[in-house]
């Protein structure tokens, strides 16, 4: 099996794993008195826990096995007897899949970022569909775990075909930074800001007609397109173009079309940030993936704590885009020679 086919399988599974987790939480946990705790636990396990687990994944060198195990654990969460166990099991399963699939994708992305965009982008669509399906009753509860079991088997088969065995091609674990370590700070903060922006921004037209779906598709396609644009015109060029245009369009985000385009452009830097950090830590790609998902978790913590959102106007969205541009350029410049 070709690497492109394996990437396609990982991307499809990414959509279904995120869909299955959202479906399960909203179908079985949302009515619980512990709903807020369940959400916090799930997000901690799915995102923050990836950082320490990433080191294990780097050393284990069994990426397809880890991704398949994540699918199986997510499916097992459907059998959990209590909401808190459901949230923890689904969160850990989600984390293991992301690390396994993410590591194989990062291993093929030493020079180009396009594959990273393809892999990370379907998750948002999975969350959108899983949330919608989970709040209704039309989709039977056995469907998501059944497909997860099939995908787990497909990943094990595909991984063995692609590499000749379930052993991956991770380099020996090494936390040595090949550029300036200070470059990691602004790159980490870019992801924190992007996560905070995603949880804070709200548009008056989002609930009108098909705009909620179109906004999700803009997010998905933006993440996917960002890697291709970076390969075409350099990461710094892609960052400057996408975030500067996003800032201008956010000023007009009271209207649906410019607001949707702004979301598309703002999310183009996601694969660029991941690619840049992996270039700085080439011996710890699993840790790299976990470091940035930990940044995603940090970005949503203020919402869980009930703090008032600071980004609530078109001017604030535009300012956040320009701040992201400054941080990303600072990080890419500090990592110059590698990024």
């Amino acid at each position: 099996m070709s690497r492109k086919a394996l990437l396609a399988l990982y991307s499809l599974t990414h959509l279904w794993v995120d869909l299955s987790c959202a479906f399960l939480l909203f179908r079985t946990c949302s009515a619980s008195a512990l709903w807020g705790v369940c959400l916090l636990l799930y997000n901690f396990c799915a995102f923050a826990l990836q950082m320490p687990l990433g080191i294990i994944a780097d050393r284990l060198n069994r990426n397809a096995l880890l991704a398949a195990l994540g699918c199986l654990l997510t499916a097992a969460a459907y059998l959990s007897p209590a909401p808190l166990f459901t949230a923890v099991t689904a969160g850990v399963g989600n984390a293991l899949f992301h690390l396994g699939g993410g590591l194989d994708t990062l291993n093929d992305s030493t020079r180009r970022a396009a594959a990273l965009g393809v892999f990370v982008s379907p998750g948002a669509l999975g969350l959108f569909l899983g949330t919608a399906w989970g709040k209704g009753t039309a989709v039977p509860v056995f469907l998501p775990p059944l497909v997860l079991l099939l995908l787990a088997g497909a990943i094990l088969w595909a991984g063995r075909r692609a590499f000749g065995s379930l052993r991956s091609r991770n380099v020996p674990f090494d936390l040595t930074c090949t550029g300036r370590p200070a470059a990691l700070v602004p790159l980490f903060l870019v992801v924190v800001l992007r996560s905070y922006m995603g949880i804070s921004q709200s548009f008056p037209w989002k609930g009108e007609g098909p705009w909620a779906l179109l906004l999700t598709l803009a997010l998905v396609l933006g993440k996917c397109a960002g890697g291709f644009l970076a390969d075409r015109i350099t990461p710094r060029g892609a960052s400057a173009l996408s975030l500067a245009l996003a800032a201008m369009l956010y000023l007009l985000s009271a209207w649906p079309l410019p607001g949707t385009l702004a979301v598309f452009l703002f999310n183009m830097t996601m694969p660029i940030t991941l690619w840049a950090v992996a270039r700085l830590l080439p011996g710890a790609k699993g840790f790299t993936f976990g470091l940035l998902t930990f940044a995603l978790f940090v970005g949503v913590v203020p919402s869980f704590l009930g703090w008032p959102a600071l980004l609530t106007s078109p001017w604030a969205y535009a300012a956040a885009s320009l701040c992201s541009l400054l941080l990303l350029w600072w990080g890419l410049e500090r990592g110059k020679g590698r990024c």
Side-chain angles (χ1 to χ4, degrees), residues 46-128:
F47 297 104
L49 204 59
Q50 282 193 50
M51 189 163 59
L53 288 176
I55 297 175
I56 298 174
D58 282 321
R59 294 180 178 276
L60 184 63
N61 197 29
R62 301 288 192 282
N63 302 335
L65 181 62
L66 201 64
L69 179 60
C71 292
L72 295 175
L73 197 58
T74 303
Y78 278 73
L79 303 175
S80 181
L84 294 181
F85 287 109
T86 298
V88 170
T89 306
V92 175
N94 188 297
L96 292 178
F97 166 75
H98 278 77
L99 285 170
L103 254 170
D104 269 343
T105 306
L106 281 168
N107 284 341
D108 284 338
S109 303
T110 54
R111 295 179 180 272
R112 304 176 70 83
L116 292 173
V118 172
F119 174 71
V120 299
S121 59
L125 182 58
L127 289 174
F128 177 85

Side-chain angles (χ1 to χ4, degrees), residues 2 45 54 66 79 115 153 174 176 211 227 249 265 273 290 304 321 337 339:
S2 69
C45 293
L66 201 64
L79 303 175
D174 184 3
T176 301
W211 286 109
L249 287 168
L265 291 162
T273 313
F304 284 118
S321 294
C339 306

Side-chain angles (χ1 to χ4, degrees), residues 4 7-8 43 49 51 64 72 82 85 123 130 141 164 168 170 172 190 199 250 259 270-271 303 321 324 330:
K4 289 183 179 179
L7 173 63
N43 280 278
L49 204 59
M51 189 163 59
L72 295 175
F85 287 109
V141 74
S168 304
N170 300 351
V190 165
I199 203 73
Y250 269 128
M270 185 173 185
S303 174
S321 294
S324 293
W330 179 25

